[in-house]
Amino acid sequence: MPPVAPLLPRHGLCTFPGIYLTLTHQHDRCGFTMFLPLPRGWHPLCRWIAPGCPAPTGWMTPRSSRSRERGIGQPGRYMSQSKHAEARELMCSGALLFFSHGQQNSAADLSMLVLESLEKADVEVADELLENLAKLFSLMDPNSPERVAFVSRALKWSSGGSGRLGHPRLHQLLALTLWREQNYCESRYHFLHSADGEGCANMLVEYSTSRGFRSEVDMFVAQAVLQFLCLKNKSSASVVFTTYTQKHPSIEDGPPFVQPLLNFIWFLLLALDGGKLTVFTVLCEQYQPSLRRDPMYNEYLDRIGQLFFGVPPKQTSSYGGLLGNLLSSLMGSSEQEGEDSQDDSSPIELD
């Protein structure tokens, strides 16, 4: 791969506070040049390209003065379809170069071009590409609007048209980055859409011990388990519960547990294996005092009842909420077990 070529005008270092970035393929010299501004007087590469000194071997020379005058973002010829991989590699290298010198805006521009290349080319989602995108995401300023736009487009591309949530591996990588930044809320969201139940549990233990109240240790894992179940990810829900309850310093060995809510979650996971609606109904009735601690619990259980126990979707009737739906089902309403069309109805927002 030819090196990325950051270039300065030949009119002196202090006249133009910026650099020209030329992305050119080494064989057909097809590519484009853009001007990326730097703070005046700050030129990290001046020791290489001071006036009168030759550029490093293999680096491209500036394009014509007319090309230079066009300024920022004026692309030349784009690479052919078969050269997209080389173009992405060059742009990714350029982005990493600017990140290493603290040039967030310029690096973000190149990162978005990497995504644009992926969107326009017919590229199969691969772990290497997802890791590159996650690397660029991790280097962006957490408070920059470009980061929000970048992650949104990256997840949309990674879904490959098969879903709207994004690739689980990319979600996992994003969750790990946000966890390192101690952005626990965003990290939890991405863990929910990954398959990393153990990582999610470890993050929740840290989140609970550092930011939560001792009286809420059971609520951290209860919310995560119920949300995993709403996404039909029973295996991750079980791993989260087991890992969290074993590693949290404020939870005594169980089951059974001191906290009623943890016992409810334990019984719920056991009831999913049996699939008996009567067990689910009695369980929800007996633990209503604990379930009232968070008004969203019954919403989650409504959805879980539909997905795993054939409870009809919520309807306006003389009965209300979860118990109304369960009672209607027990009184003879159709259970519609196993219908795929029901699996995607009435989605619940997972914040």
Side-chain angles (χ1 to χ4, degrees), residues 143-229:
N143 298 318
S144 66
E146 290 83 4
R147 197 189 208 199
V148 177
F150 179 83
V151 72
S152 177
R153 289 177 61 179
L155 288 170
K156 183 178 180 180
W157 170 79
S158 71
S159 65
S162 61
R164 56 187 173 84
L165 299 176
H167 197 282
R169 173 59 176 164
L170 181 56
H171 276 294
Q172 181 192 26
L173 295 171
L174 297 175
L176 293 172
T177 294
L178 293 164
W179 180 12
R180 287 193 296 269
E181 297 173 357
Q182 297 185 340
N183 187 345
Y184 298 111
C185 291
E186 292 294 329
S187 176
R188 183 175 62 84
Y189 169 81
H190 289 290
F191 269 125
L192 283 172
H193 297 291
S194 73
D196 188 5
E198 184 176 359
C200 182
N202 290 326
M203 183 276 296
L204 289 174
V205 170
E206 181 180 311
Y207 188 14
S208 171
T209 54
S210 62
R211 306 251 179 113
F213 295 103
R214 186 179 178 85
S215 60
E216 296 176 344
V217 295
D218 52 347
M219 299 181 71
F220 279 85
V221 68
Q223 183 186 44
V225 170
L226 295 176
Q227 290 179 342
F228 269 120
L229 293 177

Coordinates of all heavy atoms in Angstrom, one line a residue, residues 143-229:
N143 N -17.9 13.8 22.2 CA -18.9 14.8 22.2 C -19.2 15.4 20.8 O -19.9 16.4 20.6 CB -18.5 15.9 23.1 CG -18.4 15.4 24.6 OD1 -19.3 14.7 25.0 ND2 -17.4 15.9 25.3
S144 N -18.5 14.9 19.8 CA -18.6 15.5 18.4 C -19.9 15.0 17.7 O -20.2 13.8 17.8 CB -17.4 15.1 17.6 OG -17.3 13.7 17.3
P145 N -20.6 15.8 17.0 CA -21.8 15.4 16.2 C -21.4 14.4 15.1 O -22.2 13.6 14.7 CB -22.3 16.7 15.7 CG -21.2 17.7 15.7 CD -20.4 17.3 16.9
E146 N -20.1 14.5 14.6 CA -19.7 13.6 13.6 C -19.7 12.2 14.1 O -20.0 11.2 13.3 CB -18.3 14.0 13.1 CG -18.2 15.3 12.3 CD -18.1 16.5 13.2 OE1 -18.0 16.3 14.5 OE2 -18.1 17.6 12.7
R147 N -19.5 12.0 15.3 CA -19.4 10.6 15.9 C -20.8 10.0 15.8 O -21.0 8.8 15.5 CB -18.9 10.6 17.3 CG -18.5 9.2 17.8 CD -18.1 9.3 19.3 NE -17.1 8.2 19.6 CZ -16.9 7.8 20.8 NH1 -17.6 8.3 21.8 NH2 -16.0 6.9 21.1
V148 N -21.8 10.8 16.2 CA -23.2 10.3 16.1 C -23.6 9.9 14.7 O -24.2 8.8 14.5 CB -24.2 11.3 16.7 CG1 -25.6 10.9 16.6 CG2 -23.8 11.7 18.1
A149 N -23.3 10.8 13.8 CA -23.6 10.4 12.4 C -22.8 9.2 11.9 O -23.4 8.4 11.1 CB -23.3 11.7 11.5
F150 N -21.6 9.1 12.3 CA -20.8 8.0 11.9 C -21.3 6.7 12.4 O -21.5 5.7 11.6 CB -19.3 8.2 12.4 CG -18.4 7.1 12.0 CD1 -17.8 7.0 10.8 CD2 -18.1 6.0 12.9 CE1 -16.9 6.0 10.4 CE2 -17.2 5.0 12.6 CZ -16.6 5.0 11.3
V151 N -21.6 6.6 13.6 CA -22.1 5.3 14.2 C -23.5 4.9 13.6 O -23.8 3.7 13.4 CB -22.1 5.3 15.7 CG1 -23.3 6.2 16.2 CG2 -22.3 3.9 16.3
S152 N -24.3 5.9 13.3 CA -25.6 5.6 12.8 C -25.5 5.0 11.4 O -26.1 4.0 11.1 CB -26.4 6.9 12.7 OG -27.7 6.7 12.1
R153 N -24.6 5.6 10.6 CA -24.4 5.1 9.2 C -23.7 3.8 9.2 O -24.0 2.9 8.4 CB -23.7 6.1 8.4 CG -24.5 7.4 8.0 CD -23.6 8.4 7.2 NE -23.2 7.9 6.0 CZ -22.5 8.6 5.1 NH1 -22.1 9.8 5.4 NH2 -22.1 8.1 3.9
A154 N -22.8 3.6 10.1 CA -22.0 2.3 10.2 C -23.0 1.2 10.6 O -22.9 0.1 10.0 CB -20.9 2.5 11.2
L155 N -23.8 1.4 11.5 CA -24.8 0.3 11.9 C -25.8 0.0 10.8 O -26.1 -1.1 10.6 CB -25.5 0.8 13.2 CG -24.7 0.8 14.5 CD1 -25.5 1.4 15.6 CD2 -24.3 -0.6 14.9
K156 N -26.2 1.1 10.1 CA -27.1 0.8 9.0 C -26.4 0.0 7.9 O -27.0 -0.9 7.3 CB -27.6 2.2 8.4 CG -28.6 2.1 7.3 CD -29.1 3.4 6.8 CE -30.1 3.3 5.7 NZ -30.5 4.6 5.2
W157 N -25.2 0.4 7.6 CA -24.5 -0.4 6.6 C -24.2 -1.9 7.0 O -24.4 -2.8 6.3 CB -23.1 0.2 6.2 CG -22.2 -0.7 5.4 CD1 -22.3 -0.9 4.1 CD2 -21.2 -1.5 5.9 NE1 -21.4 -1.8 3.7 CE2 -20.7 -2.2 4.8 CE3 -20.7 -1.8 7.2 CZ2 -19.7 -3.2 4.9 CZ3 -19.6 -2.7 7.3 CH2 -19.2 -3.4 6.1
S158 N -23.9 -2.0 8.3 CA -23.5 -3.4 8.8 C -24.7 -4.3 8.8 O -24.6 -5.5 8.9 CB -22.9 -3.3 10.2 OG -23.9 -2.9 11.2
S159 N -25.9 -3.7 8.8 CA -27.1 -4.6 8.9 C -27.3 -5.4 7.5 O -28.0 -6.4 7.5 CB -28.4 -3.8 9.1 OG -28.6 -2.9 8.1
G160 N -26.7 -4.9 6.5 CA -26.7 -5.6 5.2 C -28.1 -5.7 4.6 O -28.3 -6.6 3.8
G161 N -29.0 -4.8 5.0 CA -30.3 -4.9 4.5 C -31.2 -6.0 5.1 O -32.4 -6.1 4.8
S162 N -30.6 -6.8 6.0 CA -31.4 -7.8 6.6 C -32.1 -7.4 7.9 O -32.9 -8.2 8.5 CB -30.5 -9.0 6.9 OG -29.5 -8.7 7.8
G163 N -31.8 -6.3 8.5 CA -32.4 -5.8 9.7 C -32.1 -4.4 9.9 O -31.4 -3.7 9.2
R164 N -32.7 -3.8 11.0 CA -32.5 -2.4 11.2 C -31.7 -2.1 12.4 O -31.5 -1.0 12.8 CB -33.9 -1.8 11.4 CG -34.7 -2.4 12.5 CD -36.2 -1.9 12.6 NE -37.0 -2.6 13.5 CZ -37.0 -2.4 14.8 NH1 -36.3 -1.4 15.3 NH2 -37.8 -3.1 15.6
L165 N -31.1 -3.1 13.1 CA -30.4 -2.9 14.3 C -28.9 -2.9 14.2 O -28.2 -2.4 15.1 CB -30.8 -4.0 15.3 CG -32.3 -4.1 15.7 CD1 -32.6 -5.2 16.7 CD2 -32.7 -2.8 16.3
G166 N -28.4 -3.4 13.1 CA -26.9 -3.4 12.9 C -26.4 -4.8 13.2 O -27.0 -5.6 13.9
H167 N -25.1 -5.0 12.8 CA -24.5 -6.3 13.1 C -24.1 -6.5 14.5 O -23.6 -5.6 15.2 CB -23.2 -6.3 12.2 CG -22.6 -7.7 12.0 ND1 -21.9 -8.4 13.0 CD2 -22.7 -8.6 11.0 CE1 -21.5 -9.5 12.6 NE2 -22.0 -9.7 11.4
P168 N -24.4 -7.7 15.1 CA -24.1 -7.9 16.5 C -22.6 -7.7 16.9 O -22.3 -7.2 18.0 CB -24.5 -9.3 16.7 CG -25.5 -9.6 15.7 CD -25.1 -8.8 14.5
R169 N -21.7 -8.0 16.0 CA -20.3 -7.8 16.3 C -19.9 -6.4 16.4 O -19.1 -6.0 17.3 CB -19.4 -8.5 15.2 CG -17.9 -8.3 15.3 CD -17.3 -8.8 16.6 NE -15.9 -8.6 16.6 CZ -15.1 -8.6 17.7 NH1 -15.7 -8.8 18.9 NH2 -13.8 -8.5 17.6
L170 N -20.5 -5.6 15.5 CA -20.2 -4.1 15.6 C -20.8 -3.5 16.8 O -20.2 -2.7 17.5 CB -20.8 -3.4 14.3 CG -20.5 -1.9 14.3 CD1 -19.1 -1.6 14.3 CD2 -21.1 -1.3 13.0
H171 N -22.0 -4.0 17.2 CA -22.6 -3.5 18.5 C -21.7 -3.9 19.6 O -21.5 -3.1 20.6 CB -24.0 -4.1 18.7 CG -25.1 -3.4 18.0 ND1 -25.4 -2.1 18.3 CD2 -25.9 -3.8 17.0 CE1 -26.5 -1.8 17.6 NE2 -26.7 -2.7 16.7
Q172 N -21.1 -5.1 19.6 CA -20.2 -5.5 20.7 C -19.0 -4.6 20.8 O -18.6 -4.1 21.9 CB -19.8 -6.9 20.5 CG -18.9 -7.4 21.6 CD -18.2 -8.8 21.3 OE1 -18.0 -9.1 20.1 NE2 -17.9 -9.5 22.3
L173 N -18.4 -4.3 19.6 CA -17.2 -3.4 19.6 C -17.5 -2.0 20.1 O -16.7 -1.4 20.8 CB -16.6 -3.4 18.2 CG -16.0 -4.8 17.7 CD1 -15.7 -4.7 16.2 CD2 -14.8 -5.2 18.5
L174 N -18.6 -1.5 19.7 CA -19.0 -0.2 20.1 C -19.3 -0.2 21.6 O -18.9 0.8 22.3 CB -20.3 0.3 19.4 CG -20.2 0.4 17.8 CD1 -21.5 0.8 17.2 CD2 -19.2 1.5 17.5
A175 N -19.9 -1.2 22.1 CA -20.2 -1.3 23.5 C -19.0 -1.3 24.4 O -18.9 -0.7 25.4 CB -21.1 -2.6 23.8
L176 N -17.9 -2.0 23.9 CA -16.7 -2.1 24.6 C -16.0 -0.7 24.7 O -15.4 -0.3 25.7 CB -15.8 -3.2 24.0 CG -16.2 -4.6 24.1 CD1 -15.4 -5.5 23.3 CD2 -16.3 -5.1 25.6
T177 N -16.0 0.0 23.6 CA -15.5 1.3 23.5 C -16.2 2.2 24.5 O -15.5 3.0 25.3 CB -15.5 1.9 22.1 OG1 -14.7 1.1 21.2 CG2 -15.0 3.3 22.1
L178 N -17.5 2.2 24.5 CA -18.3 3.1 25.3 C -18.1 2.7 26.8 O -18.1 3.6 27.7 CB -19.7 3.1 24.9 CG -20.0 3.7 23.6 CD1 -21.4 3.2 23.1 CD2 -20.0 5.2 23.6
W179 N -17.9 1.5 27.1 CA -17.6 1.0 28.4 C -16.3 1.6 28.9 O -16.2 2.1 30.1 CB -17.6 -0.5 28.5 CG -17.4 -1.1 29.8 CD1 -17.4 -0.5 31.0 CD2 -17.1 -2.5 30.1 NE1 -17.1 -1.4 32.0 CE2 -16.9 -2.7 31.5 CE3 -17.0 -3.6 29.2 CZ2 -16.6 -3.9 32.0 CZ3 -16.7 -4.9 29.8 CH2 -16.5 -5.0 31.2
R180 N -15.3 1.5 28.1 CA -14.0 2.1 28.5 C -14.1 3.6 28.8 O -13.4 4.2 29.6 CB -13.0 1.9 27.4 CG -12.5 0.4 27.3 CD -11.2 0.3 26.4 NE -11.5 0.7 25.1 CZ -11.9 -0.1 24.1 NH1 -12.1 -1.4 24.4 NH2 -12.1 0.3 22.9
E181 N -15.0 4.3 28.1 CA -15.3 5.7 28.3 C -16.2 6.0 29.4 O -16.5 7.1 29.7 CB -15.8 6.3 27.0 CG -14.9 6.3 25.8 CD -15.6 6.7 24.5 OE1 -16.8 7.0 24.6 OE2 -14.9 6.8 23.5
Q182 N -16.7 4.9 30.1 CA -17.6 5.0 31.2 C -18.9 5.6 30.8 O -19.6 6.2 31.6 CB -17.0 5.7 32.4 CG -15.8 5.1 33.0 CD -15.3 5.7 34.2 OE1 -15.6 6.9 34.5 NE2 -14.5 5.0 35.0
N183 N -19.3 5.4 29.5 CA -20.6 5.8 29.1 C -21.5 4.6 29.2 O -21.8 3.9 28.2 CB -20.5 6.3 27.6 CG -21.8 6.9 27.1 OD1 -22.9 6.7 27.7 ND2 -21.8 7.6 26.0
Y184 N -21.9 4.3 30.4 CA -22.6 3.0 30.7 C -23.9 2.9 30.0 O -24.3 1.8 29.5 CB -22.7 2.8 32.2 CG -21.4 2.8 32.9 CD1 -21.1 3.8 33.8 CD2 -20.6 1.7 32.8 CE1 -19.9 3.8 34.5 CE2 -19.4 1.7 33.4 CZ -19.0 2.7 34.3 OH -17.8 2.7 35.0
C185 N -24.7 4.0 29.9 CA -26.0 3.9 29.3 C -25.9 3.5 27.8 O -26.7 2.6 27.3 CB -26.8 5.2 29.4 SG -27.2 5.6 31.1
E186 N -25.1 4.2 27.1 CA -24.9 3.8 25.6 C -24.3 2.5 25.5 O -24.7 1.7 24.5 CB -24.1 4.9 25.0 CG -24.7 6.3 24.8 CD -26.0 6.2 23.9 OE1 -26.0 5.5 23.0 OE2 -26.9 7.0 24.2
S187 N -23.4 2.1 26.3 CA -22.7 0.8 26.3 C -23.8 -0.3 26.5 O -23.8 -1.3 25.8 CB -21.6 0.7 27.3 OG -21.1 -0.6 27.3
R188 N -24.7 -0.1 27.4 CA -25.7 -1.1 27.7 C -26.6 -1.3 26.5 O -27.0 -2.4 26.1 CB -26.5 -0.7 28.9 CG -27.6 -1.7 29.3 CD -28.3 -1.3 30.6 NE -29.0 0.0 30.4 CZ -30.2 0.1 29.9 NH1 -30.9 -1.0 29.5 NH2 -30.8 1.3 29.8
Y189 N -27.0 -0.2 25.8 CA -27.8 -0.3 24.6 C -27.1 -1.2 23.6 O -27.8 -2.1 23.0 CB -28.1 1.1 24.0 CG -28.7 1.0 22.7 CD1 -30.1 0.8 22.5 CD2 -27.9 1.2 21.5 CE1 -30.7 0.8 21.3 CE2 -28.5 1.1 20.3 CZ -29.9 0.9 20.1 OH -30.4 0.8 18.9
H190 N -25.8 -1.0 23.3 CA -25.2 -1.7 22.3 C -24.9 -3.2 22.7 O -25.0 -4.1 21.9 CB -23.9 -1.1 21.9 CG -24.0 0.2 21.1 ND1 -24.5 0.2 19.8 CD2 -23.8 1.5 21.5 CE1 -24.6 1.5 19.4 NE2 -24.2 2.3 20.4
F191 N -24.7 -3.4 24.0 CA -24.6 -4.8 24.5 C -25.9 -5.6 24.2 O -25.9 -6.8 23.9 CB -24.2 -4.8 25.9 CG -22.7 -4.9 26.2 CD1 -22.1 -3.9 27.0 CD2 -21.9 -5.9 25.7 CE1 -20.8 -3.9 27.3 CE2 -20.6 -5.9 25.9 CZ -20.0 -4.9 26.7
L192 N -27.0 -4.9 24.4 CA -28.3 -5.6 24.2 C -28.5 -6.1 22.8 O -29.1 -7.1 22.6 CB -29.4 -4.6 24.5 CG -29.7 -4.3 26.0 CD1 -30.8 -3.2 26.1 CD2 -30.2 -5.6 26.7
H193 N -27.9 -5.4 21.8 CA -28.0 -5.8 20.4 C -26.8 -6.6 20.0 O -26.6 -6.9 18.8 CB -28.2 -4.6 19.5 CG -29.4 -3.8 19.8 ND1 -30.7 -4.3 19.6 CD2 -29.6 -2.6 20.4 CE1 -31.6 -3.5 20.0 NE2 -31.0 -2.4 20.5
S194 N -26.0 -7.1 20.9 CA -24.9 -8.0 20.6 C -25.2 -9.3 21.1 O -26.3 -9.6 21.7 CB -23.6 -7.4 21.2 OG -23.6 -7.6 22.6
A195 N -24.2 -10.2 21.0 CA -24.4 -11.6 21.6 C -23.5 -11.8 22.8 O -23.3 -12.9 23.2 CB -24.2 -12.6 20.5
D196 N -23.0 -10.7 23.3 CA -22.0 -10.8 24.4 C -22.7 -10.6 25.8 O -22.6 -9.5 26.4 CB -20.9 -9.7 24.2 CG -19.7 -9.8 25.2 OD1 -19.7 -10.8 26.0 OD2 -18.8 -9.0 25.1
G197 N -23.3 -11.6 26.2 CA -24.0 -11.5 27.5 C -23.0 -11.4 28.7 O -23.3 -10.7 29.6
E198 N -21.9 -12.1 28.6 CA -20.9 -12.0 29.7 C -20.3 -10.6 29.8 O -20.2 -10.0 30.9 CB -19.8 -13.0 29.5 CG -18.8 -13.1 30.6 CD -17.8 -14.2 30.4 OE1 -17.8 -14.9 29.4 OE2 -16.9 -14.3 31.3
G199 N -20.0 -10.0 28.7 CA -19.5 -8.6 28.7 C -20.5 -7.7 29.2 O -20.1 -6.7 30.0
C200 N -21.7 -7.8 28.9 CA -22.8 -7.0 29.4 C -22.9 -7.1 30.9 O -23.0 -6.1 31.6 CB -24.1 -7.3 28.7 SG -25.5 -6.3 29.2
A201 N -22.8 -8.3 31.4 CA -22.9 -8.5 32.8 C -21.8 -7.8 33.6 O -22.0 -7.2 34.6 CB -23.0 -10.0 33.2
N202 N -20.6 -8.0 33.1 CA -19.4 -7.4 33.7 C -19.5 -5.8 33.7 O -19.2 -5.2 34.7 CB -18.1 -7.8 33.0 CG -17.8 -9.3 33.3 OD1 -18.1 -9.8 34.3 ND2 -17.2 -9.9 32.3
M203 N -20.0 -5.3 32.6 CA -20.2 -3.8 32.5 C -21.3 -3.4 33.6 O -21.1 -2.4 34.2 CB -20.6 -3.4 31.1 CG -20.8 -1.9 30.9 SD -22.4 -1.3 31.4 CE -23.5 -2.2 30.2
L204 N -22.3 -4.2 33.7 CA -23.4 -3.8 34.6 C -22.9 -3.9 36.1 O -23.4 -3.1 36.9 CB -24.6 -4.7 34.4 CG -25.4 -4.5 33.1 CD1 -26.5 -5.6 33.0 CD2 -26.0 -3.1 33.1
V205 N -22.1 -4.8 36.4 CA -21.5 -4.9 37.7 C -20.7 -3.6 38.0 O -20.9 -3.0 39.1 CB -20.6 -6.1 37.9 CG1 -19.8 -6.1 39.2 CG2 -21.4 -7.4 37.8
E206 N -19.9 -3.2 37.1 CA -19.1 -1.9 37.3 C -20.1 -0.7 37.4 O -19.9 0.2 38.2 CB -18.2 -1.8 36.2 CG -17.3 -0.5 36.3 CD -16.3 -0.4 35.1 OE1 -15.6 -1.4 34.8 OE2 -16.3 0.7 34.5
Y207 N -21.1 -0.7 36.5 CA -22.1 0.4 36.5 C -22.8 0.5 37.8 O -22.9 1.5 38.4 CB -23.0 0.1 35.4 CG -24.0 1.2 35.1 CD1 -23.8 2.5 35.6 CD2 -25.1 1.0 34.2 CE1 -24.7 3.6 35.3 CE2 -26.0 2.0 33.9 CZ -25.8 3.3 34.4 OH -26.7 4.3 34.2
S208 N -23.2 -0.7 38.3 CA -24.0 -0.7 39.6 C -23.1 -0.3 40.8 O -23.5 0.5 41.6 CB -24.5 -2.1 39.8 OG -25.1 -2.2 41.1
T209 N -21.9 -0.8 40.9 CA -21.1 -0.5 42.0 C -20.5 0.9 42.0 O -20.3 1.4 43.1 CB -19.9 -1.5 42.0 OG1 -19.2 -1.5 40.8 CG2 -20.4 -2.9 42.3
S210 N -20.4 1.5 40.8 CA -19.8 2.8 40.8 C -20.8 4.0 40.7 O -20.6 5.1 41.2 CB -18.9 3.0 39.5 OG -19.6 2.8 38.4
R211 N -22.0 3.7 40.2 CA -23.0 4.7 40.0 C -24.4 4.5 40.6 O -25.2 5.4 40.7 CB -23.2 5.0 38.5 CG -21.9 5.3 37.8 CD -21.8 6.7 37.4 NE -20.5 7.0 36.6 CZ -20.4 7.3 35.4 NH1 -21.5 7.4 34.6 NH2 -19.3 7.6 34.8
G212 N -24.6 3.2 41.0 CA -25.9 2.9 41.5 C -26.0 2.8 43.0 O -25.0 2.9 43.8
F213 N -27.3 2.8 43.5 CA -27.5 2.6 45.0 C -27.5 1.1 45.3 O -27.9 0.3 44.5 CB -28.9 3.2 45.3 CG -29.0 4.7 45.2 CD1 -29.6 5.3 44.1 CD2 -28.3 5.5 46.1 CE1 -29.7 6.6 43.9 CE2 -28.4 6.9 45.9 CZ -29.1 7.5 44.8
R214 N -27.2 0.8 46.5 CA -27.1 -0.6 47.0 C -28.5 -1.2 46.9 O -28.6 -2.4 46.6 CB -26.6 -0.6 48.4 CG -26.4 -2.1 48.9 CD -25.8 -2.1 50.3 NE -25.7 -3.4 50.8 CZ -24.6 -4.2 50.6 NH1 -23.6 -3.7 49.9 NH2 -24.5 -5.4 51.1
S215 N -29.5 -0.4 47.1 CA -30.9 -1.0 47.0 C -31.4 -1.3 45.6 O -32.4 -1.9 45.4 CB -31.9 0.0 47.7 OG -31.9 1.3 47.0
E216 N -30.6 -0.9 44.6 CA -31.0 -1.1 43.2 C -30.1 -2.2 42.5 O -30.2 -2.3 41.3 CB -30.9 0.2 42.5 CG -31.8 1.3 43.0 CD -31.6 2.6 42.2 OE1 -30.6 2.7 41.6 OE2 -32.5 3.4 42.3
V217 N -29.3 -2.9 43.3 CA -28.4 -3.9 42.6 C -29.2 -4.9 41.8 O -28.8 -5.4 40.7 CB -27.5 -4.6 43.6 CG1 -26.6 -3.6 44.3 CG2 -28.4 -5.3 44.7
D218 N -30.4 -5.3 42.2 CA -31.3 -6.2 41.5 C -31.9 -5.6 40.3 O -32.1 -6.3 39.3 CB -32.3 -6.8 42.4 CG -33.1 -5.7 43.1 OD1 -32.7 -4.6 43.1 OD2 -34.2 -6.1 43.8
M219 N -32.2 -4.3 40.3 CA -32.8 -3.7 39.2 C -31.9 -3.6 37.9 O -32.4 -3.6 36.8 CB -33.4 -2.3 39.6 CG -34.4 -2.4 40.7 SD -35.0 -0.8 41.2 CE -36.1 -0.4 39.8
F220 N -30.6 -3.4 38.1 CA -29.7 -3.3 37.0 C -29.8 -4.6 36.1 O -29.9 -4.5 34.9 CB -28.3 -3.1 37.5 CG -28.0 -1.7 37.9 CD1 -28.3 -1.2 39.1 CD2 -27.4 -0.9 36.9 CE1 -28.0 0.1 39.5 CE2 -27.1 0.4 37.3 CZ -27.4 0.9 38.6
V221 N -29.8 -5.7 36.7 CA -29.8 -7.0 35.9 C -31.2 -7.3 35.5 O -31.4 -7.9 34.4 CB -29.1 -8.1 36.7 CG1 -30.0 -8.5 37.9 CG2 -28.8 -9.3 35.8
A222 N -32.2 -7.0 36.3 CA -33.6 -7.3 35.9 C -33.9 -6.6 34.6 O -34.5 -7.3 33.7 CB -34.5 -7.0 37.0
Q223 N -33.6 -5.4 34.5 CA -33.9 -4.6 33.3 C -33.2 -5.3 32.1 O -33.8 -5.4 31.0 CB -33.5 -3.2 33.4 CG -33.9 -2.3 32.2 CD -33.4 -0.9 32.3 OE1 -32.2 -0.7 32.7 NE2 -34.2 0.1 32.0
A224 N -31.9 -5.6 32.2 CA -31.2 -6.2 31.1 C -31.8 -7.5 30.7 O -31.9 -7.8 29.5 CB -29.7 -6.3 31.5
V225 N -32.1 -8.4 31.7 CA -32.6 -9.7 31.3 C -34.0 -9.5 30.6 O -34.2 -10.2 29.5 CB -32.8 -10.5 32.6 CG1 -33.6 -11.8 32.3 CG2 -31.4 -10.9 33.2
L226 N -34.8 -8.7 31.1 CA -36.2 -8.5 30.4 C -36.0 -8.0 29.0 O -36.7 -8.3 28.1 CB -37.0 -7.6 31.3 CG -37.4 -8.2 32.7 CD1 -38.2 -7.2 33.5 CD2 -38.2 -9.5 32.5
Q227 N -35.1 -7.0 28.9 CA -34.9 -6.5 27.5 C -34.3 -7.5 26.6 O -34.6 -7.5 25.4 CB -34.0 -5.2 27.6 CG -34.8 -4.0 28.3 CD -33.9 -2.8 28.4 OE1 -32.7 -2.9 28.3 NE2 -34.5 -1.7 28.6
F228 N -33.3 -8.3 27.0 CA -32.8 -9.4 26.2 C -33.9 -10.3 25.7 O -34.0 -10.7 24.6 CB -31.7 -10.2 26.9 CG -30.3 -9.6 26.7 CD1 -29.6 -9.2 27.8 CD2 -29.8 -9.6 25.4 CE1 -28.3 -8.7 27.6 CE2 -28.5 -9.1 25.2 CZ -27.7 -8.7 26.3
L229 N -34.8 -10.6 26.7 CA -35.9 -11.5 26.3 C -36.9 -10.9 25.3 O -37.4 -11.6 24.5 CB -36.7 -11.9 27.6 CG -35.9 -12.8 28.6 CD1 -36.7 -13.1 29.8 CD2 -35.5 -14.1 27.9

